[in-house]
Amino acid sequence: MTTLDPRGLEAAAEVLCRQIMGPRSNMGNVGIQNATRFRDEARAILDAYLDVAQPTVTTVEELEGLEEGTVIELLDGTTRIRTGWSSGWASAAAGDDHPDDAHIPARVIWRPHESP
């Protein structure tokens, strides 16, 4: 759901390249095929990280199970925060919202119990 910033993806691919090929290597010195492979592998690693750090909820039950204060990002890029109100969700732009199919899938981007 969360799209990877191309600059971050390139930086991750370069680190992966250096880890595999040695500290003096860079993306400019490897062949196109290897550069593409490193980008694909970096994307897979970052996607795996995001799946754990910012999971996607796909059911209303999962959505309702999120604790108060949790922030989700919808497919259209808007965010909602879990409230203690009866409506359940609020947005600065759109007022209160009830959890329904319009909110899923959604990426969990912040949870209160994980804050420093």
Side-chain angles (χ1 to χ4, degrees):
M1 169 135 189
T2 299
T3 57
L4 299 176
D5 183 324
R7 298 167 300 172
L9 184 56
E10 286 301 318
E14 286 182 30
V15 168
L16 184 60
C17 172
R18 283 193 298 273
Q19 291 295 316
I20 292 171
M21 303 200 58
R24 295 191 170 190
S25 64
N26 66 46
M27 293 299 282
N29 292 339
V30 297
I32 299 287
Q33 187 175 24
N34 281 338
T36 301
R37 188 184 103 219
F38 292 136
R39 269 193 228 76
D40 291 346
E41 290 177 7
R43 178 180 297 278
I45 290 166
L46 293 171
D47 282 340
Y49 169 81
L50 287 174
D51 285 345
V52 172
Q54 298 181 334
T56 301
V57 293
T58 57
T59 67
V60 172
E61 291 77 23
E62 289 174 325
L63 197 63
E64 290 173 348
L66 296 173
E67 68 183 301
E68 185 177 336
T70 299
V71 178
I72 59 172
E73 180 182 40
L74 307 180
L75 285 174
D76 65 4
T78 61
T79 58
R80 301 285 189 272
I81 185 168
R82 181 83 162 134
T83 69
W85 307 328
S86 62
S87 60
W89 294 91
S91 167
D96 297 341
D97 292 311
H98 295 279
D100 59 25
D101 291 342
H103 286 86
I104 50 178
R107 173 79 68 181
V108 176
I109 58 174
W110 189 79
R111 287 177 238 165
H113 72 275
E114 293 179 359
S115 63

